[in-house]
PDB file of all heavy atoms in Angstrom:
ATOM      1  N   ASP A   6     -21.509  94.377 -46.360  1.00  0.00           N
ATOM      2  CA  ASP A   6     -22.879  94.053 -46.696  1.00  0.00           C
ATOM      3  C   ASP A   6     -23.533  93.056 -45.821  1.00  0.00           C
ATOM      4  O   ASP A   6     -24.498  92.478 -46.162  1.00  0.00           O
ATOM      5  CB  ASP A   6     -22.929  93.631 -48.159  1.00  0.00           C
ATOM      6  CG  ASP A   6     -21.982  92.657 -48.660  1.00  0.00           C
ATOM      7  OD1 ASP A   6     -21.041  92.356 -47.802  1.00  0.00           O
ATOM      8  OD2 ASP A   6     -21.984  92.087 -49.722  1.00  0.00           O
ATOM      9  N   VAL A   7     -23.061  92.897 -44.699  1.00  0.00           N
ATOM     10  CA  VAL A   7     -23.763  91.984 -43.692  1.00  0.00           C
ATOM     11  C   VAL A   7     -24.904  92.709 -43.116  1.00  0.00           C
ATOM     12  O   VAL A   7     -24.796  93.841 -42.717  1.00  0.00           O
ATOM     13  CB  VAL A   7     -22.691  91.567 -42.594  1.00  0.00           C
ATOM     14  CG1 VAL A   7     -23.456  90.847 -41.478  1.00  0.00           C
ATOM     15  CG2 VAL A   7     -21.687  90.636 -43.196  1.00  0.00           C
ATOM     16  N   ALA A   8     -26.017  92.112 -43.044  1.00  0.00           N
ATOM     17  CA  ALA A   8     -27.240  92.556 -42.447  1.00  0.00           C
ATOM     18  C   ALA A   8     -27.848  93.738 -43.115  1.00  0.00           C
ATOM     19  O   ALA A   8     -28.661  94.428 -42.614  1.00  0.00           O
ATOM     20  CB  ALA A   8     -27.066  92.895 -40.930  1.00  0.00           C
ATOM     21  N   GLN A   9     -27.532  93.924 -44.321  1.00  0.00           N
ATOM     22  CA  GLN A   9     -28.131  95.037 -45.161  1.00  0.00           C
ATOM     23  C   GLN A   9     -29.577  94.567 -45.452  1.00  0.00           C
ATOM     24  O   GLN A   9     -30.461  95.305 -45.328  1.00  0.00           O
ATOM     25  CB  GLN A   9     -27.355  95.333 -46.456  1.00  0.00           C
ATOM     26  CG  GLN A   9     -25.962  95.811 -46.187  1.00  0.00           C
ATOM     27  CD  GLN A   9     -25.924  97.173 -45.628  1.00  0.00           C
ATOM     28  OE1 GLN A   9     -26.762  97.977 -45.797  1.00  0.00           O
ATOM     29  NE2 GLN A   9     -25.038  97.408 -44.735  1.00  0.00           N
ATOM     30  N   ASP A  10     -29.707  93.385 -45.987  1.00  0.00           N
ATOM     31  CA  ASP A  10     -30.979  92.755 -46.417  1.00  0.00           C
ATOM     32  C   ASP A  10     -31.026  91.479 -45.745  1.00  0.00           C
ATOM     33  O   ASP A  10     -30.031  90.825 -45.494  1.00  0.00           O
ATOM     34  CB  ASP A  10     -31.123  92.630 -47.919  1.00  0.00           C
ATOM     35  CG  ASP A  10     -31.175  94.027 -48.587  1.00  0.00           C
ATOM     36  OD1 ASP A  10     -31.857  94.913 -48.111  1.00  0.00           O
ATOM     37  OD2 ASP A  10     -30.361  94.099 -49.625  1.00  0.00           O
ATOM     38  N   PRO A  11     -32.245  90.976 -45.480  1.00  0.00           N
ATOM     39  CA  PRO A  11     -32.339  89.581 -45.014  1.00  0.00           C
ATOM     40  C   PRO A  11     -31.689  88.673 -45.950  1.00  0.00           C
ATOM     41  O   PRO A  11     -31.836  88.717 -47.132  1.00  0.00           O
ATOM     42  CB  PRO A  11     -33.862  89.305 -44.869  1.00  0.00           C
ATOM     43  CG  PRO A  11     -34.571  90.608 -44.988  1.00  0.00           C
ATOM     44  CD  PRO A  11     -33.581  91.542 -45.701  1.00  0.00           C
ATOM     45  N   PRO A  12     -30.805  87.726 -45.458  1.00  0.00           N
ATOM     46  CA  PRO A  12     -30.135  86.754 -46.361  1.00  0.00           C
ATOM     47  C   PRO A  12     -31.178  85.871 -47.038  1.00  0.00           C
ATOM     48  O   PRO A  12     -32.207  85.564 -46.455  1.00  0.00           O
ATOM     49  CB  PRO A  12     -29.204  85.964 -45.527  1.00  0.00           C
ATOM     50  CG  PRO A  12     -29.743  86.181 -44.155  1.00  0.00           C
ATOM     51  CD  PRO A  12     -30.506  87.497 -44.088  1.00  0.00           C
ATOM     52  N   SER A  13     -30.888  85.507 -48.344  1.00  0.00           N
ATOM     53  CA  SER A  13     -31.800  84.594 -49.035  1.00  0.00           C
ATOM     54  C   SER A  13     -31.780  83.238 -48.278  1.00  0.00           C
ATOM     55  O   SER A  13     -30.776  82.796 -47.770  1.00  0.00           O
ATOM     56  CB  SER A  13     -31.365  84.346 -50.517  1.00  0.00           C
ATOM     57  OG  SER A  13     -30.047  83.877 -50.448  1.00  0.00           O
ATOM     58  N   GLY A  14     -32.944  82.677 -48.049  1.00  0.00           N
ATOM     59  CA  GLY A  14     -32.899  81.427 -47.277  1.00  0.00           C
ATOM     60  C   GLY A  14     -32.934  81.701 -45.835  1.00  0.00           C
ATOM     61  O   GLY A  14     -32.807  80.679 -45.050  1.00  0.00           O
ATOM     62  N   ALA A  15     -33.019  82.906 -45.365  1.00  0.00           N
ATOM     63  CA  ALA A  15     -33.071  83.248 -43.909  1.00  0.00           C
ATOM     64  C   ALA A  15     -34.347  82.645 -43.280  1.00  0.00           C
ATOM     65  O   ALA A  15     -35.383  82.667 -43.984  1.00  0.00           O
ATOM     66  CB  ALA A  15     -32.932  84.685 -43.653  1.00  0.00           C
ATOM     67  N   PRO A  16     -34.278  82.276 -42.081  1.00  0.00           N
ATOM     68  CA  PRO A  16     -35.523  81.764 -41.431  1.00  0.00           C
ATOM     69  C   PRO A  16     -36.536  82.843 -41.255  1.00  0.00           C
ATOM     70  O   PRO A  16     -36.152  83.981 -41.170  1.00  0.00           O
ATOM     71  CB  PRO A  16     -34.953  81.208 -40.146  1.00  0.00           C
ATOM     72  CG  PRO A  16     -33.716  82.001 -39.821  1.00  0.00           C
ATOM     73  CD  PRO A  16     -33.117  82.349 -41.173  1.00  0.00           C
ATOM     74  N   SER A  17     -37.771  82.489 -41.213  1.00  0.00           N
ATOM     75  CA  SER A  17     -38.766  83.427 -40.873  1.00  0.00           C
ATOM     76  C   SER A  17     -38.809  83.801 -39.441  1.00  0.00           C
ATOM     77  O   SER A  17     -38.242  83.061 -38.641  1.00  0.00           O
ATOM     78  CB  SER A  17     -40.111  82.882 -41.307  1.00  0.00           C
ATOM     79  OG  SER A  17     -40.512  81.796 -40.519  1.00  0.00           O
ATOM     80  N   GLU A  18     -39.548  84.800 -39.137  1.00  0.00           N
ATOM     81  CA  GLU A  18     -39.665  85.309 -37.666  1.00  0.00           C
ATOM     82  C   GLU A  18     -40.304  84.178 -36.848  1.00  0.00           C
ATOM     83  O   GLU A  18     -40.051  83.987 -35.705  1.00  0.00           O
ATOM     84  CB  GLU A  18     -40.541  86.498 -37.634  1.00  0.00           C
ATOM     85  CG  GLU A  18     -39.830  87.812 -37.957  1.00  0.00           C
ATOM     86  CD  GLU A  18     -38.714  88.101 -37.059  1.00  0.00           C
ATOM     87  OE1 GLU A  18     -38.796  87.928 -35.854  1.00  0.00           O
ATOM     88  OE2 GLU A  18     -37.689  88.668 -37.564  1.00  0.00           O
ATOM     89  N   GLU A  19     -41.287  83.350 -37.422  1.00  0.00           N
ATOM     90  CA  GLU A  19     -41.945  82.383 -36.666  1.00  0.00           C
ATOM     91  C   GLU A  19     -41.051  81.189 -36.387  1.00  0.00           C
ATOM     92  O   GLU A  19     -41.267  80.519 -35.360  1.00  0.00           O
ATOM     93  CB  GLU A  19     -43.164  81.827 -37.355  1.00  0.00           C
ATOM     94  CG  GLU A  19     -44.152  82.851 -37.757  1.00  0.00           C
ATOM     95  CD  GLU A  19     -43.822  83.652 -39.010  1.00  0.00           C
ATOM     96  OE1 GLU A  19     -43.426  83.027 -39.998  1.00  0.00           O
ATOM     97  OE2 GLU A  19     -44.013  84.837 -39.090  1.00  0.00           O
ATOM     98  N   ARG A  20     -39.972  80.940 -37.188  1.00  0.00           N
ATOM     99  CA  ARG A  20     -39.186  79.742 -37.025  1.00  0.00           C
ATOM    100  C   ARG A  20     -37.723  80.101 -37.168  1.00  0.00           C
ATOM    101  O   ARG A  20     -37.244  80.106 -38.286  1.00  0.00           O
ATOM    102  CB  ARG A  20     -39.613  78.743 -38.110  1.00  0.00           C
ATOM    103  CG  ARG A  20     -39.174  77.321 -37.809  1.00  0.00           C
ATOM    104  CD  ARG A  20     -39.656  76.412 -38.921  1.00  0.00           C
ATOM    105  NE  ARG A  20     -39.314  77.079 -40.135  1.00  0.00           N
ATOM    106  CZ  ARG A  20     -39.093  76.501 -41.349  1.00  0.00           C
ATOM    107  NH1 ARG A  20     -39.332  75.263 -41.447  1.00  0.00           N
ATOM    108  NH2 ARG A  20     -38.844  77.181 -42.384  1.00  0.00           N
ATOM    109  N   PRO A  21     -37.074  80.466 -36.020  1.00  0.00           N
ATOM    110  CA  PRO A  21     -35.677  80.853 -36.145  1.00  0.00           C
ATOM    111  C   PRO A  21     -34.859  79.668 -36.552  1.00  0.00           C
ATOM    112  O   PRO A  21     -35.229  78.443 -36.456  1.00  0.00           O
ATOM    113  CB  PRO A  21     -35.285  81.174 -34.634  1.00  0.00           C
ATOM    114  CG  PRO A  21     -36.643  81.372 -33.939  1.00  0.00           C
ATOM    115  CD  PRO A  21     -37.642  80.538 -34.732  1.00  0.00           C
ATOM    116  N   PHE A  22     -33.671  79.925 -37.051  1.00  0.00           N
ATOM    117  CA  PHE A  22     -32.679  78.943 -37.461  1.00  0.00           C
ATOM    118  C   PHE A  22     -32.258  78.223 -36.200  1.00  0.00           C
ATOM    119  O   PHE A  22     -31.771  78.840 -35.224  1.00  0.00           O
ATOM    120  CB  PHE A  22     -31.494  79.702 -38.170  1.00  0.00           C
ATOM    121  CG  PHE A  22     -30.419  78.799 -38.652  1.00  0.00           C
ATOM    122  CD1 PHE A  22     -30.588  78.104 -39.850  1.00  0.00           C
ATOM    123  CD2 PHE A  22     -29.212  78.639 -37.971  1.00  0.00           C
ATOM    124  CE1 PHE A  22     -29.604  77.358 -40.451  1.00  0.00           C
ATOM    125  CE2 PHE A  22     -28.250  77.862 -38.576  1.00  0.00           C
ATOM    126  CZ  PHE A  22     -28.365  77.223 -39.714  1.00  0.00           C
ATOM    127  N   ALA A  23     -32.415  76.888 -36.066  1.00  0.00           N
ATOM    128  CA  ALA A  23     -32.086  76.136 -34.906  1.00  0.00           C
ATOM    129  C   ALA A  23     -30.687  75.554 -35.145  1.00  0.00           C
ATOM    130  O   ALA A  23     -30.539  74.504 -35.770  1.00  0.00           O
ATOM    131  CB  ALA A  23     -33.117  75.050 -34.696  1.00  0.00           C
ATOM    132  N   VAL A  24     -29.722  76.151 -34.545  1.00  0.00           N
ATOM    133  CA  VAL A  24     -28.327  75.716 -34.734  1.00  0.00           C
ATOM    134  C   VAL A  24     -28.170  74.347 -34.057  1.00  0.00           C
ATOM    135  O   VAL A  24     -28.542  74.073 -32.884  1.00  0.00           O
ATOM    136  CB  VAL A  24     -27.323  76.733 -34.081  1.00  0.00           C
ATOM    137  CG1 VAL A  24     -25.799  76.206 -34.132  1.00  0.00           C
ATOM    138  CG2 VAL A  24     -27.486  78.005 -34.764  1.00  0.00           C
ATOM    139  N   GLN A  25     -27.624  73.418 -34.779  1.00  0.00           N
ATOM    140  CA  GLN A  25     -27.290  72.079 -34.329  1.00  0.00           C
ATOM    141  C   GLN A  25     -25.787  71.935 -34.043  1.00  0.00           C
ATOM    142  O   GLN A  25     -25.296  71.345 -33.059  1.00  0.00           O
ATOM    143  CB  GLN A  25     -27.722  70.975 -35.170  1.00  0.00           C
ATOM    144  CG  GLN A  25     -27.545  69.613 -34.647  1.00  0.00           C
ATOM    145  CD  GLN A  25     -28.203  68.556 -35.459  1.00  0.00           C
ATOM    146  OE1 GLN A  25     -28.528  68.752 -36.611  1.00  0.00           O
ATOM    147  NE2 GLN A  25     -28.344  67.351 -34.985  1.00  0.00           N
ATOM    148  N   THR A  26     -24.989  72.478 -34.933  1.00  0.00           N
ATOM    149  CA  THR A  26     -23.571  72.510 -34.837  1.00  0.00           C
ATOM    150  C   THR A  26     -22.921  73.761 -35.323  1.00  0.00           C
ATOM    151  O   THR A  26     -23.573  74.359 -36.302  1.00  0.00           O
ATOM    152  CB  THR A  26     -22.921  71.344 -35.805  1.00  0.00           C
ATOM    153  OG1 THR A  26     -23.620  70.173 -35.393  1.00  0.00           O
ATOM    154  CG2 THR A  26     -21.457  71.147 -35.579  1.00  0.00           C
ATOM    155  N   PHE A  27     -21.858  74.261 -34.741  1.00  0.00           N
ATOM    156  CA  PHE A  27     -21.250  75.389 -35.279  1.00  0.00           C
ATOM    157  C   PHE A  27     -19.726  75.358 -35.003  1.00  0.00           C
ATOM    158  O   PHE A  27     -19.233  74.668 -34.194  1.00  0.00           O
ATOM    159  CB  PHE A  27     -21.785  76.744 -34.631  1.00  0.00           C
ATOM    160  CG  PHE A  27     -21.472  77.014 -33.227  1.00  0.00           C
ATOM    161  CD1 PHE A  27     -20.226  77.613 -32.913  1.00  0.00           C
ATOM    162  CD2 PHE A  27     -22.277  76.719 -32.206  1.00  0.00           C
ATOM    163  CE1 PHE A  27     -19.945  77.883 -31.588  1.00  0.00           C
ATOM    164  CE2 PHE A  27     -21.998  76.945 -30.918  1.00  0.00           C
ATOM    165  CZ  PHE A  27     -20.819  77.586 -30.580  1.00  0.00           C
ATOM    166  N   THR A  28     -18.995  76.063 -35.903  1.00  0.00           N
ATOM    167  CA  THR A  28     -17.596  76.277 -35.860  1.00  0.00           C
ATOM    168  C   THR A  28     -17.348  77.768 -35.669  1.00  0.00           C
ATOM    169  O   THR A  28     -17.868  78.513 -36.484  1.00  0.00           O
ATOM    170  CB  THR A  28     -16.864  75.725 -37.169  1.00  0.00           C
ATOM    171  OG1 THR A  28     -17.183  74.291 -37.162  1.00  0.00           O
ATOM    172  CG2 THR A  28     -15.355  75.866 -36.955  1.00  0.00           C
ATOM    173  N   ALA A  29     -16.633  78.153 -34.643  1.00  0.00           N
ATOM    174  CA  ALA A  29     -16.208  79.551 -34.460  1.00  0.00           C
ATOM    175  C   ALA A  29     -14.898  79.806 -35.080  1.00  0.00           C
ATOM    176  O   ALA A  29     -13.998  78.992 -34.894  1.00  0.00           O
ATOM    177  CB  ALA A  29     -16.305  79.890 -32.980  1.00  0.00           C
ATOM    178  N   ARG A  30     -14.688  80.939 -35.754  1.00  0.00           N
ATOM    179  CA  ARG A  30     -13.401  81.355 -36.223  1.00  0.00           C
ATOM    180  C   ARG A  30     -13.286  82.864 -36.124  1.00  0.00           C
ATOM    181  O   ARG A  30     -14.306  83.535 -36.306  1.00  0.00           O
ATOM    182  CB  ARG A  30     -13.220  80.787 -37.717  1.00  0.00           C
ATOM    183  CG  ARG A  30     -14.144  81.464 -38.726  1.00  0.00           C
ATOM    184  CD  ARG A  30     -13.912  81.057 -40.128  1.00  0.00           C
ATOM    185  NE  ARG A  30     -14.850  81.661 -41.004  1.00  0.00           N
ATOM    186  CZ  ARG A  30     -14.771  82.897 -41.393  1.00  0.00           C
ATOM    187  NH1 ARG A  30     -13.724  83.618 -41.076  1.00  0.00           N
ATOM    188  NH2 ARG A  30     -15.594  83.376 -42.276  1.00  0.00           N
ATOM    189  N   TYR A  31     -12.106  83.333 -35.961  1.00  0.00           N
ATOM    190  CA  TYR A  31     -11.881  84.729 -36.038  1.00  0.00           C
ATOM    191  C   TYR A  31     -11.704  85.120 -37.504  1.00  0.00           C
ATOM    192  O   TYR A  31     -10.910  84.547 -38.208  1.00  0.00           O
ATOM    193  CB  TYR A  31     -10.541  85.030 -35.239  1.00  0.00           C
ATOM    194  CG  TYR A  31     -10.253  86.482 -35.411  1.00  0.00           C
ATOM    195  CD1 TYR A  31     -11.003  87.483 -34.840  1.00  0.00           C
ATOM    196  CD2 TYR A  31      -9.042  86.871 -36.061  1.00  0.00           C
ATOM    197  CE1 TYR A  31     -10.575  88.810 -35.069  1.00  0.00           C
ATOM    198  CE2 TYR A  31      -8.671  88.186 -36.172  1.00  0.00           C
ATOM    199  CZ  TYR A  31      -9.457  89.142 -35.718  1.00  0.00           C
ATOM    200  OH  TYR A  31      -9.152  90.489 -35.851  1.00  0.00           O
ATOM    201  N   ASP A  32     -12.378  86.141 -38.005  1.00  0.00           N
ATOM    202  CA  ASP A  32     -12.259  86.662 -39.180  1.00  0.00           C
ATOM    203  C   ASP A  32     -11.438  88.043 -39.138  1.00  0.00           C
ATOM    204  O   ASP A  32     -11.965  89.024 -38.695  1.00  0.00           O
ATOM    205  CB  ASP A  32     -13.646  86.973 -39.851  1.00  0.00           C
ATOM    206  CG  ASP A  32     -13.587  87.476 -41.267  1.00  0.00           C
ATOM    207  OD1 ASP A  32     -12.590  88.119 -41.707  1.00  0.00           O
ATOM    208  OD2 ASP A  32     -14.586  87.221 -42.035  1.00  0.00           O
ATOM    209  N   PRO A  33     -10.140  87.962 -39.587  1.00  0.00           N
ATOM    210  CA  PRO A  33      -9.355  89.183 -39.435  1.00  0.00           C
ATOM    211  C   PRO A  33      -9.771  90.337 -40.279  1.00  0.00           C
ATOM    212  O   PRO A  33      -9.478  91.466 -39.910  1.00  0.00           O
ATOM    213  CB  PRO A  33      -7.967  88.611 -39.764  1.00  0.00           C
ATOM    214  CG  PRO A  33      -8.096  87.457 -40.594  1.00  0.00           C
ATOM    215  CD  PRO A  33      -9.418  86.847 -40.110  1.00  0.00           C
ATOM    216  N   ILE A  34     -10.382  90.001 -41.425  1.00  0.00           N
ATOM    217  CA  ILE A  34     -10.830  91.097 -42.286  1.00  0.00           C
ATOM    218  C   ILE A  34     -11.957  91.875 -41.631  1.00  0.00           C
ATOM    219  O   ILE A  34     -11.999  93.085 -41.583  1.00  0.00           O
ATOM    220  CB  ILE A  34     -11.188  90.586 -43.673  1.00  0.00           C
ATOM    221  CG1 ILE A  34      -9.943  90.072 -44.368  1.00  0.00           C
ATOM    222  CG2 ILE A  34     -11.889  91.683 -44.509  1.00  0.00           C
ATOM    223  CD1 ILE A  34     -10.167  89.299 -45.567  1.00  0.00           C
ATOM    224  N   GLU A  35     -12.884  91.178 -41.061  1.00  0.00           N
ATOM    225  CA  GLU A  35     -14.009  91.818 -40.407  1.00  0.00           C
ATOM    226  C   GLU A  35     -13.739  92.285 -38.944  1.00  0.00           C
ATOM    227  O   GLU A  35     -14.452  93.014 -38.299  1.00  0.00           O
ATOM    228  CB  GLU A  35     -15.223  90.917 -40.360  1.00  0.00           C
ATOM    229  CG  GLU A  35     -15.767  90.501 -41.771  1.00  0.00           C
ATOM    230  CD  GLU A  35     -16.368  91.707 -42.499  1.00  0.00           C
ATOM    231  OE1 GLU A  35     -16.667  92.721 -41.869  1.00  0.00           O
ATOM    232  OE2 GLU A  35     -16.430  91.626 -43.666  1.00  0.00           O
ATOM    233  N   ASP A  36     -12.607  91.757 -38.290  1.00  0.00           N
ATOM    234  CA  ASP A  36     -12.273  91.818 -36.971  1.00  0.00           C
ATOM    235  C   ASP A  36     -13.469  91.376 -36.097  1.00  0.00           C
ATOM    236  O   ASP A  36     -13.871  92.094 -35.139  1.00  0.00           O
ATOM    237  CB  ASP A  36     -11.730  93.271 -36.663  1.00  0.00           C
ATOM    238  CG  ASP A  36     -11.149  93.322 -35.285  1.00  0.00           C
ATOM    239  OD1 ASP A  36     -10.553  92.363 -34.827  1.00  0.00           O
ATOM    240  OD2 ASP A  36     -11.253  94.410 -34.652  1.00  0.00           O
ATOM    241  N   ARG A  37     -13.956  90.235 -36.438  1.00  0.00           N
ATOM    242  CA  ARG A  37     -15.131  89.730 -35.652  1.00  0.00           C
ATOM    243  C   ARG A  37     -15.016  88.192 -35.568  1.00  0.00           C
ATOM    244  O   ARG A  37     -14.276  87.534 -36.432  1.00  0.00           O
ATOM    245  CB  ARG A  37     -16.430  90.081 -36.379  1.00  0.00           C
ATOM    246  CG  ARG A  37     -16.704  91.529 -36.441  1.00  0.00           C
ATOM    247  CD  ARG A  37     -18.039  91.830 -37.086  1.00  0.00           C
ATOM    248  NE  ARG A  37     -18.278  93.288 -36.818  1.00  0.00           N
ATOM    249  CZ  ARG A  37     -18.782  94.111 -37.725  1.00  0.00           C
ATOM    250  NH1 ARG A  37     -19.154  93.585 -38.891  1.00  0.00           N
ATOM    251  NH2 ARG A  37     -18.992  95.349 -37.559  1.00  0.00           N
ATOM    252  N   ILE A  38     -15.752  87.596 -34.720  1.00  0.00           N
ATOM    253  CA  ILE A  38     -15.888  86.144 -34.615  1.00  0.00           C
ATOM    254  C   ILE A  38     -17.056  85.736 -35.494  1.00  0.00           C
ATOM    255  O   ILE A  38     -18.169  86.358 -35.436  1.00  0.00           O
ATOM    256  CB  ILE A  38     -16.032  85.671 -33.141  1.00  0.00           C
ATOM    257  CG1 ILE A  38     -14.736  85.974 -32.385  1.00  0.00           C
ATOM    258  CG2 ILE A  38     -16.422  84.190 -33.122  1.00  0.00           C
ATOM    259  CD1 ILE A  38     -14.824  85.666 -30.865  1.00  0.00           C
ATOM    260  N   CYS A  39     -16.854  84.720 -36.355  1.00  0.00           N
ATOM    261  CA  CYS A  39     -17.853  84.279 -37.154  1.00  0.00           C
ATOM    262  C   CYS A  39     -18.282  82.834 -36.660  1.00  0.00           C
ATOM    263  O   CYS A  39     -17.394  81.974 -36.523  1.00  0.00           O
ATOM    264  CB  CYS A  39     -17.425  84.185 -38.544  1.00  0.00           C
ATOM    265  SG  CYS A  39     -18.676  83.532 -39.714  1.00  0.00           S
ATOM    266  N   LEU A  40     -19.570  82.609 -36.516  1.00  0.00           N
ATOM    267  CA  LEU A  40     -20.061  81.301 -36.209  1.00  0.00           C
ATOM    268  C   LEU A  40     -20.574  80.687 -37.519  1.00  0.00           C
ATOM    269  O   LEU A  40     -21.645  81.174 -38.024  1.00  0.00           O
ATOM    270  CB  LEU A  40     -21.247  81.313 -35.264  1.00  0.00           C
ATOM    271  CG  LEU A  40     -20.888  81.867 -33.855  1.00  0.00           C
ATOM    272  CD1 LEU A  40     -22.090  81.841 -32.885  1.00  0.00           C
ATOM    273  CD2 LEU A  40     -19.723  81.266 -33.224  1.00  0.00           C
ATOM    274  N   ASN A  41     -19.915  79.727 -38.080  1.00  0.00           N
ATOM    275  CA  ASN A  41     -20.453  78.969 -39.249  1.00  0.00           C
ATOM    276  C   ASN A  41     -21.347  77.947 -38.691  1.00  0.00           C
ATOM    277  O   ASN A  41     -20.830  76.987 -38.023  1.00  0.00           O
ATOM    278  CB  ASN A  41     -19.373  78.355 -40.059  1.00  0.00           C
ATOM    279  CG  ASN A  41     -18.498  79.495 -40.786  1.00  0.00           C
ATOM    280  OD1 ASN A  41     -19.065  80.442 -41.186  1.00  0.00           O
ATOM    281  ND2 ASN A  41     -17.200  79.233 -41.036  1.00  0.00           N
ATOM    282  N   ALA A  42     -22.620  78.028 -38.853  1.00  0.00           N
ATOM    283  CA  ALA A  42     -23.601  77.185 -38.215  1.00  0.00           C
ATOM    284  C   ALA A  42     -24.429  76.383 -39.183  1.00  0.00           C
ATOM    285  O   ALA A  42     -24.595  76.806 -40.363  1.00  0.00           O
ATOM    286  CB  ALA A  42     -24.605  78.022 -37.405  1.00  0.00           C
ATOM    287  N   VAL A  43     -24.879  75.199 -38.755  1.00  0.00           N
ATOM    288  CA  VAL A  43     -25.653  74.310 -39.534  1.00  0.00           C
ATOM    289  C   VAL A  43     -26.776  73.841 -38.711  1.00  0.00           C
ATOM    290  O   VAL A  43     -26.697  73.628 -37.438  1.00  0.00           O
ATOM    291  CB  VAL A  43     -24.828  73.095 -40.132  1.00  0.00           C
ATOM    292  CG1 VAL A  43     -24.293  72.191 -39.054  1.00  0.00           C
ATOM    293  CG2 VAL A  43     -25.634  72.315 -41.142  1.00  0.00           C
ATOM    294  N   ASP A  44     -27.962  73.709 -39.286  1.00  0.00           N
ATOM    295  CA  ASP A  44     -29.196  73.155 -38.515  1.00  0.00           C
ATOM    296  C   ASP A  44     -29.338  71.727 -38.840  1.00  0.00           C
ATOM    297  O   ASP A  44     -28.531  71.093 -39.600  1.00  0.00           O
ATOM    298  CB  ASP A  44     -30.387  73.969 -38.803  1.00  0.00           C
ATOM    299  CG  ASP A  44     -30.947  73.799 -40.269  1.00  0.00           C
ATOM    300  OD1 ASP A  44     -30.401  72.994 -41.024  1.00  0.00           O
ATOM    301  OD2 ASP A  44     -31.944  74.538 -40.610  1.00  0.00           O
TER     302      ASP A  44
END
């Protein structure tokens, strides 16, 4: 269910989420890299 609908609290088109810090991790279930980010 990733990217099916805009996430609640997602930034608007005018103001993208400005990442200040992130942690990258490999998610074996998704077989993808996930960036856990904070603004």
Side-chain angles (χ1 to χ4, degrees):
D6 45 352
V7 169
Q9 297 292 326
D10 296 314
S13 60
S17 68
E18 283 294 324
E19 302 83 42
R20 202 180 44 158
F22 184 77
V24 176
Q25 185 172 15
T26 306
F27 71 84
T28 300
R30 66 177 177 79
Y31 172 68
D32 184 330
I34 294 171
E35 298 292 343
D36 193 30
R37 295 185 172 138
I38 293 175
C39 180
L40 301 182
N41 289 328
V43 65
D44 69 5

